[in-house]
């Protein structure tokens, strides 16, 4: 059972995991280095625990103590009860959902470990917007993608904003970082995957015509918002595919495009 500790000093060192949550650069450096991430909101905290993440501590406003009582009773980590005003001073923003938890990261698997059992894989290049990362993971979970591979410069899926937007789906879809780019794509191909680069380029084949849902193993490559996939990544692909557009629209937001493309590569789709 966790200890419920009332804290009234924003400089209390026990709250150090929660300092400056709106300082993106600080948190980007600090969280991976210290092996932690922040889960925000009741549902996300519960999903993190259900998927095996260990809790370091929890920060609650008073009215959330009863809501989270079962978790408090189950975990050995300390639980800090604070006034909403103090939570805002520590974190840097008004904590609307009233519940935060500092969770311990797990070691990431190697990419070849994920590829050994997967059939549908997402490969992201330079996707550095945390909202897009979260949206892509949520769609990947909902539409049956088996794993996610990240280029070295992709944003952290466990950053608070990514976790929140994904509604905890980042905990459900296994992911790994590729150490070299785009050279690591050779290993994906050698594992039996056909590399499909999603691009609005007119030279690309319509994703419906490519019929990726009929392929045994597919790795769908996604680039950053605006820039898309790099020239090197496009050259490394086995084929280019695009989502047909109407009404003069040239492309979709990468999060929306990912959802459409994930459905197109999903197995078990009804044949038209």
């Amino acid at each position: 059972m966790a200890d419920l500790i009332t804290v009234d000093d924003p400089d209390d060192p026990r709250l150090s995991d929660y300092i400056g949550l709106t300082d993106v650069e600080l948190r980007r450096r600090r969280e991976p280095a210290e092996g932690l991430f922040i889960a925000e909101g009741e549902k996300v905290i519960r999903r993190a625990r259900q998927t095996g993440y260990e809790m370091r501590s929890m920060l609650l406003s008073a009215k959330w103590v009863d809501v989270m009582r079962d978790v408090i009773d189950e975990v050995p980590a300390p639980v800090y009860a604070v006034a909403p005003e103090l939570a805002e001073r520590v974190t840097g923003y008004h904590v609307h959902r009233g519940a935060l938890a500092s969770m311990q990261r797990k070691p990431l698997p190697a990419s070849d470990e994920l590829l050994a059992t997967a059939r549908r894989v997402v490969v992201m290049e330079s996707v550095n917007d945390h909202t897009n990362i979260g949206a892509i993971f949520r769609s990947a979970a909902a539409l049956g993608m088996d794993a996610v591979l990240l280029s070295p410069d992709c944003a952290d899926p466990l950053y608070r904003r990514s976790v929140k937007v994904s509604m905890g789906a980042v905990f459900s879809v296994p992911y790994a970082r590729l150490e070299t780019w785009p050279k690591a794509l050779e290993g994906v191909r050698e594992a039996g995957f056909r590399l499909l680069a999603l691009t609005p380029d007119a030279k690309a084949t319509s994703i419906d015509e490519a019929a990726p849902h009929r392929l045994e193993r597919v790795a769908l490559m996604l680039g950053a918002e605006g820039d898309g996939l790099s020239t090197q990544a496009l050259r490394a692909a086995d084929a280019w595919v695009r989502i047909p557009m109407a009404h003069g629209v040239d492309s979709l937001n990468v999060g929306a495009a990912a959802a459409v493309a994930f459905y197109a590569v999903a197995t078990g789709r009804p044949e038209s």
Side-chain angles (χ1 to χ4, degrees):
M1 181 182 296
D3 296 325
L4 183 60
I5 304 164
T6 300
V7 178
D8 55 15
D9 180 1
D11 296 320
D12 191 311
R14 292 174 294 183
L15 305 183
S16 62
D17 282 2
Y18 305 96
I19 291 174
L21 295 188
T22 58
D23 188 333
V24 177
E25 289 306 315
L26 170 67
R27 302 306 299 195
R28 278 177 174 169
R29 293 193 306 270
R30 184 182 169 198
E31 291 185 10
E34 297 183 20
L36 67 93
F37 70 91
I38 299 298
E40 180 179 7
E42 177 193 2
K43 291 181 180 178
V44 172
I45 292 171
R46 292 183 185 279
R47 286 175 183 170
R49 293 194 63 245
Q50 289 166 0
T51 48
Y53 285 93
E54 180 182 348
M55 185 180 291
R56 293 161 58 110
S57 66
M58 191 155 51
L59 182 71
L60 301 176
S61 59
K63 70 178 183 179
W64 283 88
V65 171
D66 287 341
V67 176
M68 303 299 292
R69 174 58 63 184
D70 59 319
V71 177
I72 295 171
D73 291 343
E74 291 172 3
V75 301
V79 178
Y80 304 115
V82 300
E85 297 78 14
L86 187 140
E88 184 170 353
R89 289 180 65 186
V90 172
T91 63
Y93 74 105
H94 179 64
V95 185
H96 298 281
R97 296 175 185 268
L100 296 168
S102 175
M103 312 296 293
Q104 190 71 39
R105 290 176 183 247
K106 301 177 186 178
L108 288 182
S111 57
D112 56 358
E113 179 184 336
L114 296 185
L115 293 172
T117 56
R119 294 186 61 201
R120 298 291 185 263
V121 172
V122 187
V123 181
M124 289 193 234
E125 180 190 31
S126 304
V127 180
N128 47 34
D129 181 275
H130 293 104
T131 298
N132 285 335
I133 288 276
I136 291 169
F137 265 87
R138 186 172 184 181
S139 294
L143 296 167
M145 303 301 285
D146 300 317
V148 174
L149 301 179
L150 305 171
S151 71
D153 56 349
C154 275
D156 179 12
L158 293 182
Y159 181 73
R160 179 177 59 91
R161 181 64 178 167
S162 300
V163 173
K164 182 178 178 181
V165 171
S166 79
M167 291 298 293
V170 293
F171 310 139
S172 304
V173 183
Y175 69 93
R177 283 200 182 269
L178 299 170
E179 294 184 2
T180 58
W181 185 267
K183 185 175 176 58
L185 294 174
E186 296 174 7
V188 180
R189 182 181 290 107
E190 289 170 0
F193 288 83
R194 184 164 173 80
L195 294 164
L196 300 184
L198 189 66
T199 172
D201 194 293
K203 295 191 292 293
T205 303
S206 164
I207 199 165
D208 286 331
E209 292 178 23
H213 62 290
R214 297 195 185 103
L215 298 175
E216 182 64 24
R217 285 185 156 185
V218 175
L220 183 69
M221 299 164 57
L222 303 173
E225 186 75 25
D227 294 336
L229 290 165
S230 67
T231 300
Q232 293 84 355
L234 289 169
R235 286 174 179 167
D238 294 311
W240 298 3
V241 295
R242 61 179 173 81
I243 299 169
M245 298 283 112
H247 301 293
V249 177
D250 60 352
S251 64
L252 296 171
N253 165 277
V254 67
V260 174
F262 294 164
Y263 178 76
V265 304
T267 57
R269 288 180 55 201
E271 296 291 343
S272 57

